Amino acid sequence: MTTAQMDQLIQRTGRSLWRTGVAASLLAMVSLVAAAVLAVIVIDAVFGLNVYGLLALDGVLLGLIGVAAGSVIHRGRQNQAQRRRVAMTIEDRLDIPDNRLVNAVDLSTQTDAGVSRPLRELAIERGEAVAESVAPRSVVDKTPLLRAIKTTMTVALVALAFYSLNPAVFHAVLPRL
């Protein structure tokens, strides 16, 4: 019994879910780091910190960058495709009520003597039928990615506005950091 359609759906959907999750996480971390850099610039401009204060702020920024990089790496590893989890996500997002795809994924990998061959073949046929009717892109929820894009754009616009209003602050503070 072939599972070509189902395997292709699971792989393509898993890749799409992974890319979307990692991109959203990366953009969120870029926004966070950029906002922190702006905050550091404002803090130094307002308080005129000494060398030790600047070193402390640099340490906080480097720590934040490290945490952000670790978070993106963790998110990338966490979202690596697992066949059963991807099948469950597909069924969840498309409101497939009877677990056809999950059952087909589970039974397609089992070769136990305890599994009824006709039941296994029926489950795989039903899973293949579902796989033929599903487009992988229709499963991916792009809301977190769009939210991360909006946040990144907002932070970039705030930074640009701040720079255009007071470029001397940037030119004075950035070399000190």
Side-chain angles (χ1 to χ4, degrees):
M1 171 111 311
T2 179
T3 60
Q5 286 288 102
M6 191 173 52
D7 291 341
Q8 185 179 19
L9 173 68
I10 297 292
Q11 288 174 355
R12 289 179 64 199
T13 303
R15 281 193 303 258
S16 293
L17 290 169
W18 182 83
R19 277 190 227 120
T20 304
V22 170
S25 181
L26 184 63
L27 286 172
M29 292 306 120
V30 166
S31 298
L32 181 66
V33 170
V37 168
L38 281 175
V40 166
I41 289 171
V42 169
I43 289 169
D44 186 37
V46 170
F47 296 112
L49 298 174
N50 62 17
V51 175
Y52 297 112
L54 290 173
L55 285 173
L57 286 179
D58 287 344
V60 168
L61 274 178
L62 288 175
L64 183 63
I65 290 170
V67 167
S71 173
V72 170
I73 290 168
H74 174 71
R75 180 74 186 253
R77 287 187 176 164
Q78 178 185 14
N79 278 346
Q80 287 178 336
Q82 296 171 349
R83 292 175 51 83
R84 189 170 206 284
R85 197 180 93 222
V86 172
M88 288 173 62
T89 301
I90 292 169
E91 287 183 349
D92 235 14
R93 299 254 169 90
L94 300 179
D95 292 328
I96 299 171
D98 58 359
N99 293 339
R100 287 182 218 174
L101 200 55
V102 172
N103 292 339
V105 166
D106 286 345
L107 290 174
S108 69
T109 58
Q110 287 185 359
T111 56
D112 295 345
V115 176
S116 164
R117 185 176 177 94
L119 174 64
R120 182 175 178 265
E121 289 175 3
L122 178 65
I124 291 173
E125 283 177 23
R126 291 177 76 194
E128 282 288 308
V130 169
E132 288 176 9
S133 66
V134 173
R137 291 185 186 264
S138 66
V139 175
V140 179
D141 180 17
K142 293 191 171 65
T143 306
L145 180 61
L146 294 174
R147 191 177 322 126
I149 289 171
K150 288 177 185 176
T151 303
T152 303
M153 295 303 291
T154 302
V155 169
L157 287 174
V158 167
L160 182 64
F162 185 69
Y163 179 77
S164 65
L165 289 174
N166 215 342
V169 171
F170 275 83
H171 295 294
V173 172
L174 284 180
R176 290 172 37 100
L177 294 176

PDB file of all heavy atoms in Angstrom, residues 56-87:
ATOM      1  N   ALA A  56      27.858  47.918  31.611  1.00  0.00           N
ATOM      2  CA  ALA A  56      26.702  47.177  32.113  1.00  0.00           C
ATOM      3  C   ALA A  56      25.610  47.100  31.039  1.00  0.00           C
ATOM      4  O   ALA A  56      25.019  46.032  30.807  1.00  0.00           O
ATOM      5  CB  ALA A  56      26.162  47.835  33.378  1.00  0.00           C
ATOM      6  N   LEU A  57      25.360  48.214  30.363  1.00  0.00           N
ATOM      7  CA  LEU A  57      24.362  48.205  29.300  1.00  0.00           C
ATOM      8  C   LEU A  57      24.791  47.312  28.135  1.00  0.00           C
ATOM      9  O   LEU A  57      23.964  46.598  27.554  1.00  0.00           O
ATOM     10  CB  LEU A  57      24.104  49.624  28.797  1.00  0.00           C
ATOM     11  CG  LEU A  57      23.282  50.521  29.718  1.00  0.00           C
ATOM     12  CD1 LEU A  57      23.126  51.909  29.118  1.00  0.00           C
ATOM     13  CD2 LEU A  57      21.910  49.927  29.986  1.00  0.00           C
ATOM     14  N   ASP A  58      26.073  47.354  27.806  1.00  0.00           N
ATOM     15  CA  ASP A  58      26.582  46.465  26.751  1.00  0.00           C
ATOM     16  C   ASP A  58      26.409  44.996  27.149  1.00  0.00           C
ATOM     17  O   ASP A  58      26.043  44.158  26.330  1.00  0.00           O
ATOM     18  CB  ASP A  58      28.064  46.747  26.470  1.00  0.00           C
ATOM     19  CG  ASP A  58      28.270  48.058  25.717  1.00  0.00           C
ATOM     20  OD1 ASP A  58      27.281  48.581  25.154  1.00  0.00           O
ATOM     21  OD2 ASP A  58      29.417  48.546  25.679  1.00  0.00           O
ATOM     22  N   GLY A  59      26.672  44.708  28.415  1.00  0.00           N
ATOM     23  CA  GLY A  59      26.492  43.336  28.897  1.00  0.00           C
ATOM     24  C   GLY A  59      25.040  42.891  28.814  1.00  0.00           C
ATOM     25  O   GLY A  59      24.742  41.761  28.413  1.00  0.00           O
ATOM     26  N   VAL A  60      24.136  43.794  29.182  1.00  0.00           N
ATOM     27  CA  VAL A  60      22.707  43.480  29.088  1.00  0.00           C
ATOM     28  C   VAL A  60      22.322  43.238  27.632  1.00  0.00           C
ATOM     29  O   VAL A  60      21.600  42.282  27.317  1.00  0.00           O
ATOM     30  CB  VAL A  60      21.853  44.605  29.717  1.00  0.00           C
ATOM     31  CG1 VAL A  60      20.385  44.438  29.378  1.00  0.00           C
ATOM     32  CG2 VAL A  60      22.057  44.653  31.221  1.00  0.00           C
ATOM     33  N   LEU A  61      22.812  44.091  26.728  1.00  0.00           N
ATOM     34  CA  LEU A  61      22.513  43.911  25.301  1.00  0.00           C
ATOM     35  C   LEU A  61      23.066  42.591  24.775  1.00  0.00           C
ATOM     36  O   LEU A  61      22.374  41.859  24.055  1.00  0.00           O
ATOM     37  CB  LEU A  61      23.087  45.060  24.477  1.00  0.00           C
ATOM     38  CG  LEU A  61      22.231  46.298  24.347  1.00  0.00           C
ATOM     39  CD1 LEU A  61      22.952  47.369  23.536  1.00  0.00           C
ATOM     40  CD2 LEU A  61      20.898  45.978  23.725  1.00  0.00           C
ATOM     41  N   LEU A  62      24.300  42.271  25.120  1.00  0.00           N
ATOM     42  CA  LEU A  62      24.880  41.006  24.670  1.00  0.00           C
ATOM     43  C   LEU A  62      24.126  39.809  25.247  1.00  0.00           C
ATOM     44  O   LEU A  62      23.903  38.811  24.555  1.00  0.00           O
ATOM     45  CB  LEU A  62      26.358  40.936  25.042  1.00  0.00           C
ATOM     46  CG  LEU A  62      27.282  41.853  24.234  1.00  0.00           C
ATOM     47  CD1 LEU A  62      28.706  41.785  24.776  1.00  0.00           C
ATOM     48  CD2 LEU A  62      27.245  41.491  22.768  1.00  0.00           C
ATOM     49  N   GLY A  63      23.733  39.910  26.496  1.00  0.00           N
ATOM     50  CA  GLY A  63      22.930  38.839  27.093  1.00  0.00           C
ATOM     51  C   GLY A  63      21.590  38.683  26.390  1.00  0.00           C
ATOM     52  O   GLY A  63      21.144  37.564  26.111  1.00  0.00           O
ATOM     53  N   LEU A  64      20.973  39.804  26.074  1.00  0.00           N
ATOM     54  CA  LEU A  64      19.691  39.764  25.367  1.00  0.00           C
ATOM     55  C   LEU A  64      19.852  39.155  23.972  1.00  0.00           C
ATOM     56  O   LEU A  64      19.021  38.352  23.546  1.00  0.00           O
ATOM     57  CB  LEU A  64      19.099  41.166  25.277  1.00  0.00           C
ATOM     58  CG  LEU A  64      17.733  41.278  24.621  1.00  0.00           C
ATOM     59  CD1 LEU A  64      16.697  40.515  25.432  1.00  0.00           C
ATOM     60  CD2 LEU A  64      17.328  42.734  24.501  1.00  0.00           C
ATOM     61  N   ILE A  65      20.921  39.509  23.290  1.00  0.00           N
ATOM     62  CA  ILE A  65      21.180  38.929  21.970  1.00  0.00           C
ATOM     63  C   ILE A  65      21.404  37.422  22.087  1.00  0.00           C
ATOM     64  O   ILE A  65      20.908  36.640  21.280  1.00  0.00           O
ATOM     65  CB  ILE A  65      22.383  39.632  21.297  1.00  0.00           C
ATOM     66  CG1 ILE A  65      21.987  41.061  20.910  1.00  0.00           C
ATOM     67  CG2 ILE A  65      22.861  38.855  20.074  1.00  0.00           C
ATOM     68  CD1 ILE A  65      23.154  41.937  20.468  1.00  0.00           C
ATOM     69  N   GLY A  66      22.131  36.997  23.121  1.00  0.00           N
ATOM     70  CA  GLY A  66      22.349  35.564  23.338  1.00  0.00           C
ATOM     71  C   GLY A  66      21.054  34.817  23.624  1.00  0.00           C
ATOM     72  O   GLY A  66      20.806  33.739  23.083  1.00  0.00           O
ATOM     73  N   VAL A  67      20.223  35.409  24.468  1.00  0.00           N
ATOM     74  CA  VAL A  67      18.929  34.788  24.780  1.00  0.00           C
ATOM     75  C   VAL A  67      18.056  34.740  23.530  1.00  0.00           C
ATOM     76  O   VAL A  67      17.380  33.733  23.266  1.00  0.00           O
ATOM     77  CB  VAL A  67      18.220  35.552  25.928  1.00  0.00           C
ATOM     78  CG1 VAL A  67      16.770  35.133  26.062  1.00  0.00           C
ATOM     79  CG2 VAL A  67      18.968  35.339  27.231  1.00  0.00           C
ATOM     80  N   ALA A  68      18.083  35.797  22.739  1.00  0.00           N
ATOM     81  CA  ALA A  68      17.283  35.832  21.511  1.00  0.00           C
ATOM     82  C   ALA A  68      17.752  34.761  20.527  1.00  0.00           C
ATOM     83  O   ALA A  68      16.940  34.039  19.941  1.00  0.00           O
ATOM     84  CB  ALA A  68      17.372  37.216  20.863  1.00  0.00           C
ATOM     85  N   ALA A  69      19.053  34.639  20.369  1.00  0.00           N
ATOM     86  CA  ALA A  69      19.583  33.609  19.461  1.00  0.00           C
ATOM     87  C   ALA A  69      19.224  32.212  19.973  1.00  0.00           C
ATOM     88  O   ALA A  69      18.811  31.344  19.199  1.00  0.00           O
ATOM     89  CB  ALA A  69      21.096  33.753  19.336  1.00  0.00           C
ATOM     90  N   GLY A  70      19.358  31.995  21.262  1.00  0.00           N
ATOM     91  CA  GLY A  70      18.988  30.706  21.844  1.00  0.00           C
ATOM     92  C   GLY A  70      17.510  30.405  21.666  1.00  0.00           C
ATOM     93  O   GLY A  70      17.124  29.270  21.387  1.00  0.00           O
ATOM     94  N   SER A  71      16.688  31.431  21.797  1.00  0.00           N
ATOM     95  CA  SER A  71      15.246  31.257  21.626  1.00  0.00           C
ATOM     96  C   SER A  71      14.897  30.866  20.191  1.00  0.00           C
ATOM     97  O   SER A  71      14.060  29.986  19.961  1.00  0.00           O
ATOM     98  CB  SER A  71      14.526  32.546  22.005  1.00  0.00           C
ATOM     99  OG  SER A  71      13.169  32.463  21.706  1.00  0.00           O
ATOM    100  N   VAL A  72      15.544  31.504  19.231  1.00  0.00           N
ATOM    101  CA  VAL A  72      15.285  31.177  17.828  1.00  0.00           C
ATOM    102  C   VAL A  72      15.757  29.751  17.520  1.00  0.00           C
ATOM    103  O   VAL A  72      15.058  28.986  16.846  1.00  0.00           O
ATOM    104  CB  VAL A  72      15.959  32.201  16.888  1.00  0.00           C
ATOM    105  CG1 VAL A  72      15.901  31.744  15.442  1.00  0.00           C
ATOM    106  CG2 VAL A  72      15.307  33.563  17.035  1.00  0.00           C
ATOM    107  N   ILE A  73      16.913  29.380  18.038  1.00  0.00           N
ATOM    108  CA  ILE A  73      17.428  28.023  17.813  1.00  0.00           C
ATOM    109  C   ILE A  73      16.499  27.000  18.460  1.00  0.00           C
ATOM    110  O   ILE A  73      16.166  25.973  17.868  1.00  0.00           O
ATOM    111  CB  ILE A  73      18.868  27.897  18.345  1.00  0.00           C
ATOM    112  CG1 ILE A  73      19.816  28.706  17.460  1.00  0.00           C
ATOM    113  CG2 ILE A  73      19.307  26.442  18.418  1.00  0.00           C
ATOM    114  CD1 ILE A  73      21.203  28.893  18.026  1.00  0.00           C
ATOM    115  N   HIS A  74      16.062  27.284  19.680  1.00  0.00           N
ATOM    116  CA  HIS A  74      15.130  26.371  20.369  1.00  0.00           C
ATOM    117  C   HIS A  74      13.830  26.238  19.585  1.00  0.00           C
ATOM    118  O   HIS A  74      13.310  25.136  19.419  1.00  0.00           O
ATOM    119  CB  HIS A  74      14.846  26.879  21.779  1.00  0.00           C
ATOM    120  CG  HIS A  74      13.805  26.086  22.504  1.00  0.00           C
ATOM    121  ND1 HIS A  74      14.032  24.803  22.955  1.00  0.00           N
ATOM    122  CD2 HIS A  74      12.528  26.386  22.833  1.00  0.00           C
ATOM    123  CE1 HIS A  74      12.935  24.349  23.534  1.00  0.00           C
ATOM    124  NE2 HIS A  74      12.013  25.287  23.466  1.00  0.00           N
ATOM    125  N   ARG A  75      13.317  27.347  19.101  1.00  0.00           N
ATOM    126  CA  ARG A  75      12.074  27.313  18.323  1.00  0.00           C
ATOM    127  C   ARG A  75      12.255  26.499  17.047  1.00  0.00           C
ATOM    128  O   ARG A  75      11.370  25.746  16.646  1.00  0.00           O
ATOM    129  CB  ARG A  75      11.641  28.745  17.998  1.00  0.00           C
ATOM    130  CG  ARG A  75      10.382  28.859  17.199  1.00  0.00           C
ATOM    131  CD  ARG A  75       9.176  28.552  18.086  1.00  0.00           C
ATOM    132  NE  ARG A  75       7.969  28.517  17.326  1.00  0.00           N
ATOM    133  CZ  ARG A  75       7.029  29.443  17.346  1.00  0.00           C
ATOM    134  NH1 ARG A  75       7.178  30.495  18.115  1.00  0.00           N
ATOM    135  NH2 ARG A  75       5.955  29.317  16.622  1.00  0.00           N
ATOM    136  N   GLY A  76      13.417  26.640  16.415  1.00  0.00           N
ATOM    137  CA  GLY A  76      13.692  25.868  15.204  1.00  0.00           C
ATOM    138  C   GLY A  76      13.739  24.378  15.469  1.00  0.00           C
ATOM    139  O   GLY A  76      13.206  23.579  14.703  1.00  0.00           O
ATOM    140  N   ARG A  77      14.359  24.003  16.568  1.00  0.00           N
ATOM    141  CA  ARG A  77      14.418  22.573  16.912  1.00  0.00           C
ATOM    142  C   ARG A  77      13.068  22.045  17.365  1.00  0.00           C
ATOM    143  O   ARG A  77      12.710  20.914  17.076  1.00  0.00           O
ATOM    144  CB  ARG A  77      15.455  22.346  17.997  1.00  0.00           C
ATOM    145  CG  ARG A  77      16.851  22.472  17.486  1.00  0.00           C
ATOM    146  CD  ARG A  77      17.839  22.092  18.531  1.00  0.00           C
ATOM    147  NE  ARG A  77      19.178  22.143  17.970  1.00  0.00           N
ATOM    148  CZ  ARG A  77      20.262  22.168  18.682  1.00  0.00           C
ATOM    149  NH1 ARG A  77      20.184  22.126  19.994  1.00  0.00           N
ATOM    150  NH2 ARG A  77      21.434  22.218  18.103  1.00  0.00           N
ATOM    151  N   GLN A  78      12.325  22.873  18.069  1.00  0.00           N
ATOM    152  CA  GLN A  78      11.020  22.468  18.578  1.00  0.00           C
ATOM    153  C   GLN A  78      10.048  22.238  17.425  1.00  0.00           C
ATOM    154  O   GLN A  78       9.202  21.365  17.495  1.00  0.00           O
ATOM    155  CB  GLN A  78      10.483  23.555  19.493  1.00  0.00           C
ATOM    156  CG  GLN A  78       9.117  23.290  20.066  1.00  0.00           C
ATOM    157  CD  GLN A  78       8.615  24.480  20.866  1.00  0.00           C
ATOM    158  OE1 GLN A  78       9.162  25.577  20.789  1.00  0.00           O
ATOM    159  NE2 GLN A  78       7.569  24.270  21.622  1.00  0.00           N
ATOM    160  N   ASN A  79      10.170  23.003  16.374  1.00  0.00           N
ATOM    161  CA  ASN A  79       9.231  22.910  15.260  1.00  0.00           C
ATOM    162  C   ASN A  79       9.654  21.913  14.199  1.00  0.00           C
ATOM    163  O   ASN A  79       9.048  21.870  13.135  1.00  0.00           O
ATOM    164  CB  ASN A  79       9.054  24.284  14.603  1.00  0.00           C
ATOM    165  CG  ASN A  79       8.068  25.133  15.359  1.00  0.00           C
ATOM    166  OD1 ASN A  79       7.329  24.642  16.191  1.00  0.00           O
ATOM    167  ND2 ASN A  79       8.065  26.404  15.075  1.00  0.00           N
ATOM    168  N   GLN A  80      10.694  21.140  14.449  1.00  0.00           N
ATOM    169  CA  GLN A  80      11.049  20.134  13.462  1.00  0.00           C
ATOM    170  C   GLN A  80       9.898  19.148  13.322  1.00  0.00           C
ATOM    171  O   GLN A  80       9.270  18.758  14.291  1.00  0.00           O
ATOM    172  CB  GLN A  80      12.332  19.405  13.857  1.00  0.00           C
ATOM    173  CG  GLN A  80      13.550  20.273  13.676  1.00  0.00           C
ATOM    174  CD  GLN A  80      14.815  19.577  14.104  1.00  0.00           C
ATOM    175  OE1 GLN A  80      14.784  18.664  14.918  1.00  0.00           O
ATOM    176  NE2 GLN A  80      15.925  20.016  13.559  1.00  0.00           N
ATOM    177  N   ALA A  81       9.649  18.789  12.098  1.00  0.00           N
ATOM    178  CA  ALA A  81       8.457  18.004  11.791  1.00  0.00           C
ATOM    179  C   ALA A  81       8.500  16.609  12.416  1.00  0.00           C
ATOM    180  O   ALA A  81       9.458  15.878  12.258  1.00  0.00           O
ATOM    181  CB  ALA A  81       8.295  17.886  10.289  1.00  0.00           C
ATOM    182  N   GLN A  82       7.457  16.296  13.106  1.00  0.00           N
ATOM    183  CA  GLN A  82       7.192  14.945  13.569  1.00  0.00           C
ATOM    184  C   GLN A  82       5.898  14.552  12.877  1.00  0.00           C
ATOM    185  O   GLN A  82       4.903  15.278  12.949  1.00  0.00           O
ATOM    186  CB  GLN A  82       7.024  14.916  15.085  1.00  0.00           C
ATOM    187  CG  GLN A  82       8.270  15.318  15.828  1.00  0.00           C
ATOM    188  CD  GLN A  82       7.992  15.476  17.317  1.00  0.00           C
ATOM    189  OE1 GLN A  82       6.856  15.482  17.765  1.00  0.00           O
ATOM    190  NE2 GLN A  82       9.050  15.614  18.083  1.00  0.00           N
ATOM    191  N   ARG A  83       5.931  13.433  12.219  1.00  0.00           N
ATOM    192  CA  ARG A  83       4.817  13.044  11.354  1.00  0.00           C
ATOM    193  C   ARG A  83       3.463  13.087  12.075  1.00  0.00           C
ATOM    194  O   ARG A  83       2.501  13.638  11.559  1.00  0.00           O
ATOM    195  CB  ARG A  83       5.065  11.654  10.780  1.00  0.00           C
ATOM    196  CG  ARG A  83       6.212  11.601   9.810  1.00  0.00           C
ATOM    197  CD  ARG A  83       6.521  10.188   9.349  1.00  0.00           C
ATOM    198  NE  ARG A  83       5.381   9.443   8.860  1.00  0.00           N
ATOM    199  CZ  ARG A  83       4.888   9.524   7.606  1.00  0.00           C
ATOM    200  NH1 ARG A  83       5.458  10.318   6.746  1.00  0.00           N
ATOM    201  NH2 ARG A  83       3.854   8.782   7.250  1.00  0.00           N
ATOM    202  N   ARG A  84       3.408  12.524  13.234  1.00  0.00           N
ATOM    203  CA  ARG A  84       2.127  12.463  13.963  1.00  0.00           C
ATOM    204  C   ARG A  84       1.664  13.853  14.370  1.00  0.00           C
ATOM    205  O   ARG A  84       0.490  14.190  14.249  1.00  0.00           O
ATOM    206  CB  ARG A  84       2.270  11.569  15.181  1.00  0.00           C
ATOM    207  CG  ARG A  84       0.954  11.273  15.853  1.00  0.00           C
ATOM    208  CD  ARG A  84       1.128  10.182  16.918  1.00  0.00           C
ATOM    209  NE  ARG A  84      -0.065   9.454  17.161  1.00  0.00           N
ATOM    210  CZ  ARG A  84      -1.089   9.918  17.864  1.00  0.00           C
ATOM    211  NH1 ARG A  84      -1.048  11.127  18.361  1.00  0.00           N
ATOM    212  NH2 ARG A  84      -2.158   9.177  18.051  1.00  0.00           N
ATOM    213  N   ARG A  85       2.592  14.688  14.853  1.00  0.00           N
ATOM    214  CA  ARG A  85       2.230  16.031  15.283  1.00  0.00           C
ATOM    215  C   ARG A  85       1.756  16.879  14.103  1.00  0.00           C
ATOM    216  O   ARG A  85       0.801  17.652  14.215  1.00  0.00           O
ATOM    217  CB  ARG A  85       3.407  16.704  15.981  1.00  0.00           C
ATOM    218  CG  ARG A  85       2.948  17.907  16.794  1.00  0.00           C
ATOM    219  CD  ARG A  85       4.070  18.598  17.499  1.00  0.00           C
ATOM    220  NE  ARG A  85       4.501  19.662  16.603  1.00  0.00           N
ATOM    221  CZ  ARG A  85       5.750  19.984  16.367  1.00  0.00           C
ATOM    222  NH1 ARG A  85       6.714  19.342  16.953  1.00  0.00           N
ATOM    223  NH2 ARG A  85       6.055  20.940  15.553  1.00  0.00           N
ATOM    224  N   VAL A  86       2.415  16.732  12.956  1.00  0.00           N
ATOM    225  CA  VAL A  86       1.997  17.473  11.762  1.00  0.00           C
ATOM    226  C   VAL A  86       0.610  17.011  11.321  1.00  0.00           C
ATOM    227  O   VAL A  86      -0.249  17.830  10.983  1.00  0.00           O
ATOM    228  CB  VAL A  86       3.032  17.315  10.619  1.00  0.00           C
ATOM    229  CG1 VAL A  86       2.507  17.914   9.326  1.00  0.00           C
ATOM    230  CG2 VAL A  86       4.350  17.965  11.004  1.00  0.00           C
ATOM    231  N   ALA A  87       0.369  15.706  11.362  1.00  0.00           N
ATOM    232  CA  ALA A  87      -0.955  15.186  10.997  1.00  0.00           C
ATOM    233  C   ALA A  87      -2.027  15.716  11.949  1.00  0.00           C
ATOM    234  O   ALA A  87      -3.129  16.089  11.520  1.00  0.00           O
ATOM    235  CB  ALA A  87      -0.941  13.660  11.001  1.00  0.00           C
TER     236      ALA A  87
END
